[in-house]
Amino acid sequence: MESSLIGQVRNFNLPKKNGLIPLFEAVVNSIHAIEDRYSQASDISELGEITVHIVRETEQTGLDLGPGRKPERAIVGFTVADNGIGFNSENWKVFNQLHFTNKRERGCRGVGRLTWLKAFDDVSITSRFNEGGTLKARAFRFSGRDEVTGGEPIDEKAKDQDIGTTVQLMGFRSGYAKAVEKTAEAIAGKLLEHTLWYYVRSAGVPRIVITDDQAEEPIELNDLFDAHMHGGSDHKAFTVKGVQFDITHVKFRARADRKHVLAFCAGQRLVAEQPLEIKGLTASVSDDDGPFRYAGYIVSDFLDGRVFTERTGFDLEEEIDGLFAGTEISRADIRNAASPLIIEFLGESLQANIQAGRERLDEFVTKKAPHYLPILRHLGDEEIFIDPSTNDAQIDRELHSRKYQTEQQLLAEGEKLLKPDLSDSVESYSQRVAEYMDRLQSVKQSDLAAYVTHRRVVLDLLNTAIKANADGKYARESVIHNLIMPMGTTNEDLSQLRASNLWLLNERLAFHQHYLGSDKSLSATPITGAGGGKEPDLAALNVYDNPHAFSDTNGSAQATITIVEIKKPMLKGQKSGEEKDPIEQALGYLRRIRDGGVMTKTGRQIPNARDLPGYVYVLADLTDSMRQRCEYATLNEAPDGQSYFGWNGSKNIKAYIEVIDFGGLLDAASERNAAFFEFLGLSRS
């Protein structure tokens, strides 16, 4: 049965993003050739040399690499030259076999050559070698259609140092050329990652140099390795279901684009990487020499036997369940067995990062989110870890997610408790109930703490809103209006907890069971029959001056109506009349609601609606003109000078009126909540 080289190439899978693998294969072949030539040497780093030259188009094609970066001429091929053993008779023989086996112990399958033909149009090879004491040379071309052409050996009058092989990979196909790295620095970095195993093994690695017509100086891979290495490597052996594996631990100096990885190798080549998820191993991990990235390189005869022909992956399941779980090896099995060795190698760095993460979490919860404190009681150190470099928003999302998970677990546990097992003893059941109630109480404490924290934030926002900005201007009415309650909403639109922030005025107003509306016309308010058509001045009123209106109770006996009117901070020029006097304006709204007939939200008329007591709150800074309006309304000035108050019992008004300066509003609300803030460790201002 004959094999077709062109058919093999056609069926060979080489993704475009892996377009540099043919180059890597040529370099690894050169490493093996140098090992064969200097097989008696314990370290080949001083004996072997490989030069990789990047071949580019002769003219500038304007290849744009991005803002601020110099355009590069397109890559058309690579030349790889080494001083290895060369294509002697033995190597020539196996090269002409489609599937050779002379390097099986190195994990080689003879398929690296297929990647050359997949990505390049033209492959030519020249080689000088010593055979029987005579220096000889061999030159040939390699293609999918013609396979191997040329290659007859000829005697060479050359010196021993000329022994070696040069592989020219030309005609880089555009699909691959466009998908891979373009600069010598980037290509050198990828080559280093692919051959890293050779740099950390005891046998050493030949000197590898990258040259490029557009680069000012050659790039030494050894120098690149030294620049990236964070410390010495370490080798450990471990077994998985009776099969031996070896892991090499490496620390790289931190690079923004480098992740912590577990690398699976075959044929002493990097094949696949997987991100590592180990507690404490984050972007901020460091040791005495600074931040680093970890890579663990795993090798095994088992992996050599399971690698795909294209060396782009392994024939391994991620996890194995069922009948073969005890015998077949999965990626998860290898990771789980390697993890303790990684943790041991990283040691103090992991523990220091875990401790720093806990301190970061404690600082955030204590100073900015104390409502999560009860939840943390039930989360041990093993259940939550925060990267010390994580920002506040990310920590808040993580804790909110944990709180939700805890609540769902409590719901499930509660359902089970409602159906006790008849075999349970009274003592056992009581103990479970007590533990459940303790956790439930913690969650409720968290909700209460969240509400108190919310009040702290509202006061901070109000403090900012009433101050002049850098231009000496003050916030618009809408800013404070929306802070107290979003405009155009009712208590049915928002959660009961956050329906409004009227507690700023009076704790009595914090919650409302009947109706609460913000910036709603009287015709759209279900607690009044007032017609919008008869009140064009109110229906078309500026949204900043539209009031809050609500009834305090569902019943008819003790119903009250409250109006809250908000003005711009430091507003001046108040005069008599509804257009200029906010007190008259608010009382006008009260009169119109009563004239329309006050009803329950369900449409039932409330008896004696005209006699319902009213509460009118005007939020406005006490400028000279505003103080004058308060005096004309016969209101009393509070001892602290920050508000005016009074009861107008005349037949057509019947309302308690309070005008509050924004500074007084802020001070009073802060004082009322000070004890709660201090209990949670929040500042009062």
Side-chain angles (χ1 to χ4, degrees), residues 259-278:
K259 307 292 185 182
H260 302 290
V261 297
L262 195 62
F264 294 82
C265 305
Q268 301 190 51
R269 296 165 169 86
L270 173 65
V271 175
E273 291 182 337
Q274 290 187 345
L276 261 180
E277 294 184 4
I278 291 179

Side-chain angles (χ1 to χ4, degrees), residues 405-419 429 432 435-437 439-440:
Q405 294 172 10
T406 301
E407 289 171 341
Q408 296 304 303
Q409 292 172 359
L410 283 172
L411 286 174
E413 290 178 21
E415 290 180 1
K416 292 178 65 175
L417 283 174
L418 292 175
K419 302 174 182 178
Y429 183 71
R432 287 183 14 233
E435 293 173 354
Y436 173 77
M437 293 305 296
R439 295 182 63 195
L440 182 64

